[in-house]
Amino acid sequence: MRYKIMTDNFEFRSIHPDEVEQAIAIEQICFPSNEACSPKAMTERIAKVPQLFLVAIDKSTGKLAGFLNGVATDEEKFRDEFFTDIDLCDENGKNVMLLGLDVLPEYRGQGLARELVYRYSQREKANGRKKLFLTCLEQKVEMYKKFGLQDLGIADSTWGGEEWHEMVLKV
């Protein structure tokens, strides 16, 4: 019941241009500097494909509590360039490469990350997408499996000098 009550406290929608600074700040909190999206790349991503962001707005504050974002493509392998080159986005692509699931620490452990993934997958399925891909560190694999993703093993990605697992969700 706590999960249902918690999600009722949020509005879920695409990001607005005036929320760029909040998104940049949240990214810097949620990821270490070697993994975080740069402010420039985040700004470009929001400007070009705001519809590929799903934000959770805390209704009590009107501020972002978290978000999920990605780029659409017909590709089926995650590559590091997706993080930095928004021009790789094909808005009609059949897949989405998820670039970041960000939930502020004070909202963690309440089902918000799971709800973002679920709502994003449902929205993108309605948009004709086939698969969502992401990369994650070893310690996050089990969490993403609980969200319905399948572990494809070690990714080609070496973003931030880390070893990543590539995961997929068929929508």
Side-chain angles (χ1 to χ4, degrees):
M1 188 56 115
R2 178 177 169 202
Y3 176 65
K4 175 73 172 130
I5 293 168
M6 193 285 307
T7 59
D8 287 345
N9 296 327
F10 295 91
E11 173 190 356
F12 295 90
R13 58 166 171 75
S14 295
I15 197 161
H16 294 163
D18 63 350
E19 293 167 333
V20 170
E21 294 304 319
Q22 284 184 73
I24 290 169
I26 291 171
E27 179 81 0
Q28 303 306 313
I29 291 167
C30 292
F31 289 95
S33 60
N34 63 311
E35 298 171 21
C37 176
S38 72
K40 178 182 183 286
M42 183 70 71
T43 301
E44 290 172 351
R45 210 179 286 165
I46 293 168
K48 182 157 184 177
V49 288
Q51 71 278 13
L52 287 170
F53 277 75
L54 180 65
V55 298
I57 305 295
D58 182 330
K59 290 179 181 176
S60 69
T61 65
K63 300 288 185 192
L64 272 68
F67 62 89
L68 181 57
N69 75 102
V71 295
T73 181
D74 281 332
E75 294 186 40
E76 298 222 354
K77 287 294 281 181
F78 204 102
R79 54 186 175 117
D80 291 343
E81 292 81 9
F82 288 121
F83 289 110
T84 56
D85 187 355
I86 194 58
D87 291 331
L88 293 174
C89 185
D90 172 1
E91 293 180 50
N92 299 313
K94 67 181 179 190
N95 301 315
V96 175
M97 300 294 167
L98 297 173
L99 302 175
L101 174 59
D102 300 60
V103 175
L104 284 169
E106 58 267 34
Y107 295 101
R108 293 179 187 161
Q110 303 173 45
L112 186 55
R114 178 189 305 266
E115 188 70 11
L116 281 163
V117 171
Y118 173 75
R119 288 178 184 243
Y120 198 99
S121 68
Q122 293 303 300
R123 182 185 76 184
E124 293 309 310
K125 180 179 182 176
N127 289 337
R129 310 282 189 218
K130 302 298 180 204
K131 299 176 187 173
L132 305 179
F133 290 88
L134 63 80
T135 56
C136 69
L137 297 173
E138 175 77 33
Q139 62 265 30
K140 298 288 186 184
V141 169
E142 289 306 312
M143 177 188 81
Y144 283 113
K145 282 183 177 179
K146 290 177 185 174
F147 295 177
L149 285 92
Q150 175 189 358
D151 185 7
L152 300 175
I154 301 302
D156 293 337
S157 174
T158 57
W159 181 255
E162 301 288 348
E163 180 178 81
W164 302 94
H165 281 253
E166 186 162 356
M167 303 193 75
V168 65
L169 178 64
K170 293 177 183 168
V171 296

